[in-house]
Amino acid sequence: NAGVTQTPKFQVLKTGQSMTLQCAQDMNHNSMYWYRQDPGMGLRLIYYSASEGTTDKGEVPNGYNVSRLNKREFSLRLESAAPSQTSVYFCASSEAQGYGYTFGSGTRLTVV
Amino acid sequence: AQRVTQPEKLLSVFKGAPVELKCNYSYSGSPELFWYVQYSRQRLQLLLRHISRESIKGFTADLNKGETSFHLKKPFAQEEDSAMYYCALSGLGSARQLTFGSGTQLTVLP
């Protein structure tokens, strides 16, 4: 049981480049999320998807877009990367209220 | 708005000593609270949920609505407890979005 799988694990981008972070879960969860983790700031929600076909902005959505391709997959796209987007990105999914999240292993992104 | 505060960025204790990681929250309704742990170079893992009132790896946490706190406690710390700990709150949104605190890095010294 793979849980939540994120690709790639590491990425270096130049300012202005674009890329898509992939996330897939095999637990039949309805809700999926993208967070970024920065030192001293904890995890901040970028976008989330309550169910297949819906997406909503979180706390820090600027500079990002998302696609809920199907129930399993939720991708995060950076259209024009900036150094401020250097961070560790985590995808997560949730079964239902009160059960918490299952997290992926993260993508460490550096924008130079 | 919902908010989670972890006042200690770093906490060091000696092996065998009691440990308490503080978490305070701000939320207008009835929150669901969690503790997550992240060991070095690993993904975040769910440690505790307040609704289950369980003890995992010797850790417990009690929700105190009067003090709006959900402190994590363990009577005898072990070196393998060294990790980053995050307190998180779930509101009543349809997607149950979690709001995380800034985290406390716990180091258990030998």
Side-chain angles (χ1 to χ4, degrees):
Chain A
N1 187 352
V4 178
T5 303
Q6 287 184 239
T7 56
K9 293 190 183 302
F10 302 94
Q11 184 71 49
V12 178
L13 291 178
K14 293 183 178 178
T15 297
Q17 286 185 318
S18 63
M19 79 161 295
T20 299
L21 282 65
Q22 307 288 351
C23 175
Q25 53 93 7
D26 61 3
M27 297 170 287
N28 202 36
H29 287 174
N30 283 319
S31 299
M32 298 185 74
Y33 314 83
W34 277 105
Y35 283 85
R36 59 178 289 172
Q37 182 185 40
D38 300 292
M41 304 187 76
L43 284 84
R44 292 179 293 168
L45 183 62
I46 305 171
Y47 270 93
Y48 65 97
S49 171
S51 60
E52 184 179 356
T54 68
T55 61
D56 285 287
K57 295 179 180 180
E59 179 185 357
V60 288
N62 291 345
Y64 305 95
N65 283 300
V66 291
S67 295
R68 183 73 183 267
L69 304 170
N70 46 56
K71 191 171 186 178
R72 291 187 64 249
E73 299 173 286
F74 188 40
S75 62
L76 178 71
R77 182 161 179 83
L78 286 71
E79 291 290 352
S80 179
S84 60
Q85 294 178 305
T86 293
S87 187
V88 180
Y89 291 85
F90 286 98
C91 177
S93 68
S94 175
E95 175 182 2
Q97 180 179 359
Y99 285 85
Y101 291 0
T102 300
F103 279 88
S105 57
T107 296
R108 187 173 295 273
L109 175 68
T110 302
V111 183
V112 297
Chain B
Q2 54 197 60
R3 185 181 180 89
V4 178
T5 302
Q6 293 180 250
E8 303 139 329
K9 291 188 184 301
L10 304 171
L11 182 63
S12 294
V13 300
F14 286 101
K15 177 182 175 181
V19 61
E20 180 179 68
L21 289 81
K22 291 183 168 51
C23 172
N24 289 91
Y25 67 90
S26 174
Y27 186 67
S28 57
S30 294
E32 295 174 11
L33 286 149
F34 305 84
W35 277 99
Y36 283 81
V37 60
Q38 187 178 28
Y39 300 103
S40 180
R41 299 181 181 279
Q42 294 186 27
R43 69 184 70 193
L44 280 87
Q45 305 171 35
L46 178 63
L47 182 62
L48 284 176
R49 302 176 288 152
H50 92 269
I51 60 171
S52 62
R53 301 184 65 82
E54 58 199 341
S55 174
I56 303 295
K57 299 183 179 182
F59 285 98
T60 59
D62 290 317
L63 177 60
N64 186 323
K65 292 187 177 181
E67 295 184 357
T68 59
S69 67
F70 188 56
H71 303 326
L72 184 68
K73 301 177 183 179
K74 185 170 183 177
F76 307 104
Q78 303 299 315
E79 289 182 69
E80 56 265 30
D81 296 329
S82 296
M84 177 70 84
Y85 291 81
Y86 290 100
C87 182
L89 178 154
S90 173
L92 295 177
S94 62
R96 307 290 187 250
Q97 306 92 294
L98 282 180
T99 298
F100 285 84
S102 55
T104 297
Q105 178 68 50
L106 174 66
T107 301
V108 181
L109 304 168

